[in-house]
Amino acid sequence: MASKFEFARLPVADGVNGWWEILPPPSEATCFQGNRHFDFVVVGGGITGLCAARRLAELAPESSVALVEADRIGRSTAGRNSGFFVDLPHDISSEGYSKSVEADKADVQMQRHGIDYVRSIVREQGIECDWRDDGKYHGAVNKRGKDALKHFAEGLKRIDEQFEWLDVGAIAKVTGTSFYHGAIFAPGCSTVQPAALMRGLARTMPKNVEVFELSPVRKLARGAGGQVLSFDGGQITAGKVVLCTNAYAATFGGNPNGLLPVYTFASLSRKMTSAEAKALGGINSWALIPADPMGTTVRRLGNDRICVRNHFAFRPGLQVSPSDLRKAKSLHQRSFDRRFPMLNDVALEYTWGGALCLSANSGALFGATEEGLYQAIGCNGLGLSRGSASGKVIAEYALGMSNEMTSQLLKQMQPKPLPMRPIADMAVSTAIWFKEFSAGAEL
Ligand SMILES: Cc1cc2nc3c(=O)[nH]c(=O)nc-3n(C[C@H](O)[C@H](O)[C@H](O)COP(=O)(O)OP(=O)(O)OC[C@H]3O[C@@H](n4cnc5c(N)ncnc54)[C@H](O)[C@@H]3O)c2cc1C
């Protein structure tokens, strides 16, 4: 990134984030105003920024840290996801989620590093976010899906990871539906209420962190006293800036950085009555991802709502349209009805979209771009665990530490350059369409 930068795209309300809506009203936001100096400024209050700000404050308790977020913390993408802290290989652009043995093992180690960090904060701070270490199911709905699971299972064996096969009856006992023909259970995944986690992480920051919400950074430039960040209400000069803006960092002009803002969508049902929950059967909380990465993710939440996620759309403008949301809702309803015919009166109450930050080769941006400017960007669909790790580790790197994790992240691939628009748009949209079409029954 150049030493002078304008933040061209900012988050907008893409649908209604159900996770946020079902929480109690938030405390009032503190917006940034005035002219201040901080030793560190972290831009972006998603999971990556929240972990970066906390880690900076933990390791440098005498320093001043500002965390600035354009939206409310928990309402933007990190609070909009399906809440899976995935530990296993999860390259959503590859068949069977995996890369090579060495790369898969390194990914697992990094993802667990992130999960362990956040879990320890949740426990120490007593953050109420329905954190569960209950693992996840990978469900198949036909032979194609079962073949994909076999391939995934072989990959897990190669890296010595535990898993368990469930036949049609066993997965029905968990989910209450006979929709799935078989599944793999992987024990290492944790799940959360994502908006509650993000709010909780922000609320429990160490004393030397100031959190500013509804405070978009408009410009960033290098000045005499350090990096200068411009806001609607003033300026911050900072010794060091860490950018954790994920998809909002994608550039498409003369110097495209290979980051692809690809939206995905979720819906949350209304609460089931106890009679409806009884008609569904199964256990009262489970989390399932599809055998085909383009299929439907489903969670039953302990409070008796169901969350479904599917559908992808390349939206370089970082905004979805009302028709994108209508299409997503109708796909979600169809997926819900196919899985839960016994719940035909249970409406989907909230539908929303959010931007993943993908790249053609699953590469990401990590490290320093110039003196005093750092970045940890590019979640590739796995932001909860990978973002936690890269946020923690970029803070260590910015403080001059060097360890196994900093080396691993510095070595990772850069995002592959894209062709110019509109060729890039056509190529990405066609690839998504084709993959979704192939996912067929898994939707
Ligand atoms: C429906 C859905 C389901 C998903 N499911 C999962 C899942 O189960 N597990 C998983 O790991 N991932 C999932 N994801 C992806 C996950 O949400 C992202 O990977 C994660 O949010 C990335 O975290 P981050 O902190 O890097 O970026 P973000 O969460 O995108 O945070 C970046 C922040 O920067 C802020 N920002 C941008 N520009 C500025 C600016 N100029 N000034 C100030 N702030 C700015 C944004 O408002 C945003 O809050 C899902 C995503 C969606 C949409």
Side-chain angles (χ1 to χ4, degrees):
M1 185 176 288
S3 56
K4 211 163 178 211
F5 185 77
E6 295 207 11
F7 292 81
R9 298 177 193 83
L10 291 170
V12 289
D14 287 314
V16 182
N17 174 0
W19 297 114
W20 173 270
E21 294 299 320
I22 63 175
L23 289 176
S27 53
E28 212 165 302
T30 305
C31 304
F32 181 76
Q33 289 206 313
N35 290 303
R36 305 264 311 264
H37 173 85
F38 286 89
D39 297 319
F40 298 97
V41 176
V42 176
V43 184
I47 187 72
T48 309
L50 286 159
C51 289
R54 179 179 295 266
R55 191 67 178 151
L56 284 166
E58 284 169 352
L59 293 173
E62 304 307 321
S63 66
S64 55
V65 181
L67 172 63
V68 296
E69 164 57 43
D71 194 343
R72 294 304 310 263
I73 290 178
R75 192 166 59 184
S76 197
T77 321
R80 292 183 160 241
N81 51 58
S82 307
F84 289 67
F85 271 81
V86 174
D87 61 332
L88 292 178
H90 192 92
D91 181 359
I92 58 176
S93 64
S94 77
E95 296 293 326
Y97 294 109
S98 90
K99 298 176 190 157
S100 67
V101 169
E102 198 193 336
D104 283 353
K105 282 191 167 180
D107 282 354
V108 171
Q109 187 190 20
M110 183 62 68
Q111 282 138 214
R112 289 195 177 140
H113 188 68
I115 297 172
D116 291 346
Y117 182 57
V118 178
R119 184 194 292 111
S120 68
I121 302 164
V122 167
R123 287 193 181 148
E124 273 162 29
Q125 302 292 338
I127 296 173
E128 286 183 18
C129 58
D130 198 23
W131 181 285
R132 289 172 191 254
D133 292 313
D134 292 346
K136 68 176 179 323
Y137 298 87
H138 293 240
V141 304
N142 56 17
K143 180 170 175 323
R144 188 172 174 276
K146 279 181 142 177
D147 288 346
L149 288 191
K150 277 185 201 150
H151 187 66
F152 183 56
E154 282 158 19
L156 294 182
K157 273 190 206 148
R158 277 197 300 273
I159 56 169
D160 305 317
E161 288 295 338
Q162 287 188 337
F163 63 91
E164 193 188 311
W165 279 103
L166 283 84
D167 64 15
V168 57
I171 187 65
K173 276 195 182 142
V174 172
T175 59
T177 166
S178 50
F179 185 74
Y180 297 102
H181 293 196
I184 280 181
F185 174 68
C189 177
S190 305
T191 51
V192 288
Q193 206 288 30
L197 172 65
M198 302 311 144
R199 261 197 207 174
L201 289 173
R203 198 184 55 244
T204 58
M205 278 289 163
K207 292 269 178 290
N208 53 332
V209 181
E210 284 186 57
V211 178
F212 300 103
E213 297 173 272
L214 302 176
S215 302
V217 181
R218 300 284 178 186
K219 279 188 205 154
L220 173 63
R222 185 148 185 84
Q227 299 285 345
V228 183
L229 300 109
S230 304
F231 298 80
D232 295 337
Q235 274 195 343
I236 297 181
T237 51
K240 291 182 180 177
V241 172
V242 183
L243 295 175
C244 302
T245 48
N246 209 34
Y248 299 93
T251 54
F252 299 97
N255 191 15
N257 57 8
L259 300 176
L260 296 167
V262 172
Y263 273 72
T264 188
F265 301 83
S267 289
L268 191 61
S269 78
R270 72 154 165 81
K271 248 185 181 188
M272 288 182 262
T273 62
S274 49
E276 286 163 342
K278 198 165 164 213
L280 170 60
I283 61 175
N284 81 345
S285 164
W286 48 267
L288 181 145
I289 68 169
D292 186 311
M294 304 301 276
T296 301
T297 298
V298 190
R299 277 183 66 188
R300 177 172 171 187
L301 313 173
N303 66 2
D304 271 336
R305 292 178 191 262
I306 291 181
C307 182
V308 291
R309 185 217 53 80
N310 63 35
H311 187 41
F312 291 91
F314 178 49
R315 292 290 174 265
L318 270 297
Q319 183 167 18
V320 300
S321 65
S323 82
D324 284 327
L325 287 162
R326 275 197 301 276
K327 179 173 178 187
K329 185 166 184 184
S330 104
L331 286 168
H332 294 164
Q333 190 67 61
R334 196 184 64 148
S335 305
F336 188 91
D337 294 345
R338 292 171 72 205
R339 283 160 180 79
F340 308 113
M342 68 297 268
L343 300 179
N344 54 12
D345 285 335
V346 178
L348 297 178
E349 195 172 353
Y350 305 102
T351 299
W352 64 93
L356 306 173
C357 185
L358 307 185
S359 63
N361 59 347
S362 299
L365 300 174
F366 180 91
T369 63
E370 64 178 47
E371 200 192 328
L373 186 56
Y374 298 80
Q375 58 185 354
I377 286 168
C379 68
N380 280 298
L382 213 59
L384 285 183
S385 50
R386 264 200 106 74
S388 308
S390 63
K392 171 180 180 281
V393 177
I394 194 71
E396 293 166 2
Y397 183 67
L399 288 166
M401 290 170 65
S402 136
N403 54 42
E404 196 189 340
M405 295 301 168
T406 52
S407 325
Q408 205 187 110
L409 286 175
L410 288 167
K411 265 194 325 219
Q412 74 190 331
M413 278 184 296
Q414 294 281 307
K416 188 174 162 190
L418 296 168
M420 292 300 280
R421 298 185 69 189
I423 297 169
D425 300 37
M426 280 188 301
V428 180
S429 295
T430 309
I432 291 174
W433 178 85
F434 180 72
K435 285 184 177 211
E436 271 191 347
F437 180 74
S438 309
E442 300 280 356
L443 271 169

